[in-house]
């Protein structure tokens, strides 16, 4: 079993990239999903692509969940035994620590591939200021860096971002063009390059950003698109606290809708029917009571 780690900070677009990876390569692979917080969102999205998904929540596989993480990988290898396992760590974990944890159980039947980091071009400056240690670790330890959400960004802005990333990691391959436009051989290369851990500088003391809070709710209700947009705007502009990431899905007038907030931007799109409506919010100084009210959560349902 070959293991491909796809890293990236909060909202970078890791799940979207994994969906595209499945579509473009046509390969059958399993996915291990590590959400930050107790509410799993992305697992249900990936399962709709008929991917086999294992979810680990309420901890980070780079530290507090590392024993469960290692045991899960061994279990997957010994039972399901897929040819490839894609690991999507939580956005607030050290990539070096994740690679270190996997390397400890690597043997002839479990091989590590070169890790990838997805970078949201809209968040580079702000995340370097707010989360420098975590953010730079994910960049410095990647063999390949792929820019996401470049569609509305000028060539000059992208060139500046590439220079910043190149200064942090001179050896990494950096893809600044939209990854949807890449040729099949580019996609297939991810599954071919083995990780050379002998040259890697791995983390001695895994850690993650413990000052971030998260809360999640199941069975949320939104009555109209306008109501959803008002909630998303309130999330972005600090009405519920400092929000770095929020995501979820909910039916509105019979149509399932997926929403996503990253820093000061939001996206809304239609999606297939989900098992239940839910949301997770990650940030600082969150007002849980106001969030419950905004998402029309039944007061008898406890905060997750």
């Amino acid at each position: 079993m070959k293991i491909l780690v796809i890293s990236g900070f909060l909202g970078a677009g890791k799940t979207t990239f994994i969906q595209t990876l499945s579509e473009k390569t046509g390969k059958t692979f399993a996915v291990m999903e590590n959400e930050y917080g107790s509410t799993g969102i992305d697992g249900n999205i990936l399962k709709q692509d008929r991917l086999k998904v294992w979810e680990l929540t309420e901890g980070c596989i780079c530290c507090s969940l590392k024993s469960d993480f290692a045991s899960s990988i061994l279990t997957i290898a010994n039972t399901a035994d897929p040819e490839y396992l894609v690991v999507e760590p939580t956005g607030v974990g050290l990539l070096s620590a994740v690679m270190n944890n996997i390397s400890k159980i690597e043997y002839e039947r479990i091989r590590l591939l070169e890790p990838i980091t997805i970078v949201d071009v809209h968040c580079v400056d702000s995340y370097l200021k707010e989360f420098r240690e975590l953010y730079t670790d994910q960049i410095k330890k990647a063999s390949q860096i792929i820019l996401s959400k470049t569609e509305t960004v000028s060539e000059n802005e992208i060139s500046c971002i590439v220079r910043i990333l190149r200064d942090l990691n001179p050896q990494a391959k950096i893809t600044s063009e939209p990854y949807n436009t890449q040729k099949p051989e580019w996609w297939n290369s991810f599954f071919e390059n083995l990780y050379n851990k002998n040259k890697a500088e791995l983390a001695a003391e895994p850690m993650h950003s413990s000052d971030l809070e998260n809360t999640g709710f199941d069975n949320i209700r939104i009555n109209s698109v306008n109501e959803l947009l008002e909630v998303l705007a309130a999330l972005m502009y600090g009405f519920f606290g400092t929000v770095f990431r929020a995501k979820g899905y909910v039916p509105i007038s019979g149509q399932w809708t997926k929403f996503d907030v990253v820093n000061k931007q939001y996206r809304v799109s239609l999606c297939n029917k989900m098992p239940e409506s839910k949301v997770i919010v990650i940030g600082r100084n969150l007002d849980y009571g106001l969030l419950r009210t905004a998402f029309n959560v039944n007061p008898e349902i406890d905060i997750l």
Side-chain angles (χ1 to χ4, degrees):
M1 182 175 76
K2 294 180 179 179
I3 301 176
L4 174 63
V5 178
I6 298 178
S7 179
F9 212 73
L10 297 171
K14 300 184 293 295
T15 301
T16 302
F17 181 82
I18 292 172
Q19 289 178 293
T20 309
L21 179 67
S22 173
E23 173 192 339
K24 295 289 188 179
T25 63
K27 293 184 183 296
T28 301
F29 54 79
V31 179
M32 178 174 284
E33 177 79 25
N34 179 210
E35 295 266 26
Y36 183 68
S38 58
T39 303
I41 299 290
D42 295 333
N44 285 332
I45 295 173
L46 291 170
K47 287 172 185 175
Q48 291 193 336
D49 290 337
R50 295 181 174 83
L51 294 171
K52 179 66 176 176
V53 180
W54 283 264
E55 295 181 84
L56 293 174
T57 58
E58 299 199 62
C60 175
I61 58 178
C62 80
C63 49
S64 58
L65 273 181
K66 62 182 180 181
S67 295
D68 291 341
F69 174 49
S71 298
S72 296
I73 287 181
L74 290 172
T75 298
I76 293 169
N78 293 326
T79 55
D81 193 25
E83 185 177 2
Y84 305 104
L85 173 66
V86 171
V87 174
E88 180 184 348
T90 170
V92 292
L94 292 173
L95 175 56
S96 55
V98 173
M99 299 302 291
N100 191 27
N101 291 340
I102 300 176
S103 68
K104 291 177 180 178
I105 58 170
E106 189 177 14
Y107 69 112
E108 64 271 11
R109 288 189 57 228
I110 296 178
R111 305 299 303 277
L112 264 168
L113 298 169
E114 291 185 347
I116 298 169
T117 292
I118 311 297
V119 171
D120 182 340
V121 293
H122 301 283
C123 298
V124 174
D125 289 337
S126 60
Y127 283 167
L128 280 173
K129 293 176 183 176
E130 290 279 353
F131 308 99
R132 187 169 187 86
E133 182 180 5
L134 283 167
Y135 197 62
T136 56
D137 180 87
Q138 294 183 1
I139 293 168
K140 289 180 178 180
K141 308 308 177 185
S143 298
Q144 182 159 182
I145 298 169
I146 298 171
L147 302 188
S148 65
K149 308 176 187 179
T150 59
E151 295 83 2
T152 60
V153 180
S154 70
E155 291 185 9
N156 285 340
E157 290 176 293
I158 291 176
S159 295
C160 290
I161 291 167
V162 169
R163 283 196 296 271
I164 293 171
L165 300 177
R166 184 69 68 199
D167 287 342
L168 292 170
N169 187 345
Q171 286 77 41
K173 293 172 282 187
I174 299 178
T175 300
S176 58
E177 304 84 8
Y179 57 73
N180 277 317
T181 65
Q182 298 296 324
K183 296 180 179 180
E185 53 267 26
W186 184 85
W187 289 99
N188 289 322
S189 67
F190 299 135
F191 294 103
E192 297 170 356
N193 299 320
L194 290 176
Y195 181 60
N196 187 349
K197 61 180 179 294
N198 294 325
K199 294 183 180 179
E201 180 186 349
L202 298 175
E205 295 293 334
M207 64 177 67
H208 62 84
S209 184
S210 58
D211 65 332
L212 285 178
E213 309 167 43
N214 74 85
T215 187
F217 306 104
D218 291 336
N219 301 306
I220 64 173
R221 290 181 293 110
I222 297 291
N223 298 310
S224 68
V225 173
N226 283 339
E227 180 182 333
L228 175 62
L229 296 180
E230 289 175 0
V231 172
L232 298 183
L235 286 166
M236 287 192 301
Y237 293 109
F239 189 74
F240 307 110
T242 303
V243 174
F244 292 103
R245 182 81 163 106
K247 57 184 175 179
Y249 30 75
V250 62
I252 300 176
S253 301
Q255 175 62 64
W256 279 84
T257 304
K258 182 173 69 171
F259 56 90
D260 194 324
V261 174
V262 182
N263 222 350
K264 298 299 183 183
Q265 295 192 348
Y266 72 81
R267 293 189 179 192
V268 177
S269 60
L270 300 180
C271 66
N272 294 327
K273 182 179 180 180
M274 294 294 181
E276 59 185 340
S277 59
K278 57 175 64 177
V279 63
I280 184 169
V281 181
I282 302 170
R284 295 190 181 117
N285 304 313
L286 299 179
D287 190 319
Y288 303 110
L290 286 178
L291 285 167
R292 292 173 70 91
T293 300
F295 287 102
N296 298 302
V297 179
N298 188 325
E300 297 180 357
I301 299 175
D302 292 332
I303 294 178
L304 297 172

